[in-house]
Amino acid sequence: MKKSVLVSLALPLSLSVAAAHAQDSSVTIYGVIDMSLAYTSKVAPGNNSRVSLDSGDQMASRIGFKGSENLGGGLSAIFQLETGFNADDGAMATPGTLFDRKSVVGLSGGFGTLTLGRQTDYLEDIGTKYTSFQIFGGSGVRAGHFNSLDRVTGARTSNSLRFDSAVYGGFSGSLFYGFGEVAGNNAAGRAVGVGANYANGPFGIGGAYYQSKLAGDALPARAGDTDLKTFTLGASYQAGPAKLFAAWSQTRRPLQAPLAATGLVNITSATRANIVDVGVDYAYDSKLHLLASVIHDRADLARATTGATRAHTTQVNLGVDYYLSKRTDVYAMFSRQNAGDAVNPGVIGQSYSVAPADDSAQNVLRMGLRHKF
């Protein structure tokens, strides 16, 4: 009799404790499935046209898990795991890497947020606020942004720490550090970054810097030599229904050797590139958005002998995005990429993955459906 009384008292107590614990923590499953039908003119090697069903041309298809636990005193433990996949064939976006997009754990409170693991630096945040990345997608502008060497379309660093401050009077900042994890050489493979942003009503301005070093010898360069330096400055202004934005990036590759070739070369073999990105997102109404932008790359080429020492690309983007609901939209995007004194890197995907064989102009039309959950 006493045992049954104790059980009847203990069961409601355990359920109430479990319910209280559940209220202090949460886990969310989320994702994006983006599919588009794309027409691409002048694809190598014969500069023939191509029709394809692509995944992630507007926004990378992904599935993720994120959660938090209230630790008390305004402090929370957080985590986020996110993996990319190709919706057209079901394959992992990065074979052999389960959570290729993000894998972090951290702490969040009134001071800001600290995360540890595989993640992007603050340049991606600048890209999503002030460049064409926000409206035309990473896959559609990555090649035009020096193959994402300016990092505004999202580049990950493993074994990293990132701290994002709280917002004070519209100002916020970010610090980033990536461990090279090379025994005997702490500089080898190391990455550092810093960023800041200011937002006040319709106006926003921000910038970020990132630097990385070689993880191993690539003679004559040595492990620990600086391999990449890049920064971006951007701003936007909400003028009624129109969001106007502009950004300038400069990317340097100090270890790029002089080119032996005298003819057309890939623009990503440059020692330095300046990228200018300007555009507008015009909300015709609550559902229909009219989009336009221009991205111009100007690159310096080091030559061992003769040949052009300056190359450039210009990408013009036009689009219409119609929201069927808060989570589902349909879109049509047109892009044209021109190149001068360099092989055209193409529009869709990584540079030169679907590109002309020379400096011919390339046109891309994509029509797609995107669903967020």
Side-chain angles (χ1 to χ4, degrees):
M1 180 67 178
K2 291 181 179 180
K3 289 183 179 180
S4 62
V5 172
L6 290 175
V7 170
S8 65
L9 292 174
L11 183 58
L13 179 61
S14 63
L15 290 175
S16 64
V17 171
H21 179 73
Q23 291 175 359
D24 290 337
S25 63
S26 65
V27 176
T28 301
I29 301 175
Y30 66 94
V32 176
I33 301 177
D34 177 31
M35 294 286 293
S36 64
L37 181 65
Y39 165 83
T40 306
S41 72
K42 297 182 180 179
V43 177
N47 277 4
N48 297 311
S49 63
R50 173 179 180 263
V51 177
S52 59
L53 184 63
D54 297 343
S55 171
D57 280 348
Q58 172 70 0
M59 188 174 186
S61 297
R62 69 196 71 172
I63 186 168
F65 310 85
K66 60 182 178 181
S68 65
E69 180 188 14
N70 186 354
L71 302 177
L75 187 66
S76 296
I78 61 173
F79 79 89
Q80 187 172 0
L81 302 170
E82 186 175 293
T83 185
F85 65 93
N86 301 324
D88 53 340
D89 61 10
M92 297 174 64
T94 306
T97 303
L98 179 56
F99 295 109
D100 62 328
R101 295 185 56 83
K102 182 168 284 190
S103 174
V104 297
V105 66
L107 295 172
S108 181
F111 58 89
T113 301
L114 174 68
T115 51
L116 306 84
R118 177 175 171 81
Q119 55 197 320
T120 59
D121 54 271
Y122 201 71
L123 278 164
E124 185 195 40
D125 295 58
I126 296 299
T128 58
K129 298 179 193 302
Y130 306 123
T131 77
S132 297
F133 178 32
Q134 62 188 307
I135 54 176
F136 289 101
S139 186
V141 303
R142 182 179 291 117
H145 269 269
F146 202 44
N147 198 27
S148 198
L149 286 171
D150 64 1
R151 303 182 70 85
V152 299
T153 61
R156 278 89 189 160
T157 301
S158 298
N159 312 308
S160 63
L161 303 176
R162 174 170 167 167
F163 172 73
D164 294 290
S165 75
V167 179
Y168 301 99
F171 288 95
S172 59
S174 179
L175 298 174
F176 190 88
Y177 187 88
F179 293 88
E181 299 187 344
V182 177
N185 188 346
N186 290 329
R190 185 174 65 197
V192 294
V194 61
N197 191 70
Y198 174 72
N200 183 3
F203 177 72
I205 186 170
Y209 173 82
Y210 178 92
Q211 179 186 117
S212 62
K213 297 180 180 293
L214 281 181
D217 292 343
L219 298 177
R222 296 288 186 177
D225 289 347
T226 299
D227 182 47
L228 176 70
K229 296 180 179 180
T230 185
F231 70 84
T232 298
L233 300 174
S236 69
Y237 184 77
Q238 189 72 44
K243 179 183 180 181
L244 309 173
F245 60 84
W248 167 53
S249 303
Q250 186 178 98
T251 300
R252 293 175 179 264
R253 307 187 71 197
L255 303 180
Q256 181 65 47
L259 301 168
T262 60
L264 295 177
V265 296
N266 292 355
I267 197 171
T268 49
S269 60
T271 57
R272 181 178 66 175
N274 287 281
I275 304 104
V276 177
D277 186 333
V278 296
V280 59
D281 178 354
Y282 181 85
Y284 182 80
D285 56 29
S286 61
K287 293 186 175 182
L288 179 63
H289 286 241
L290 307 178
L291 317 170
S293 75
V294 177
I295 308 167
H296 180 74
D297 284 15
R298 191 169 185 84
D300 296 334
L301 303 171
R303 299 278 191 174
T305 54
T306 60
T309 57
R310 283 283 181 90
H312 69 270
T313 63
T314 302
Q315 181 174 329
V316 177
N317 305 295
L318 299 172
V320 177
D321 199 353
Y322 186 80
Y323 288 82
L324 302 172
S325 69
K326 290 183 178 180
R327 298 190 300 163
T328 304
D329 62 311
V330 292
Y331 57 85
M333 310 288 182
F334 172 79
S335 299
R336 180 178 175 86
Q337 177 86 275
N338 291 284
D341 293 316
V343 178
N344 192 321
V347 174
I348 297 294
Q350 297 285 348
S351 287
Y352 307 104
S353 59
V354 185
D358 49 29
D359 58 350
S360 298
Q362 184 182 79
N363 299 314
V364 173
L365 176 63
R366 47 195 167 117
M367 296 176 288
L369 170 67
R370 174 175 52 181
H371 177 71
K372 302 175 184 178
F373 60 90

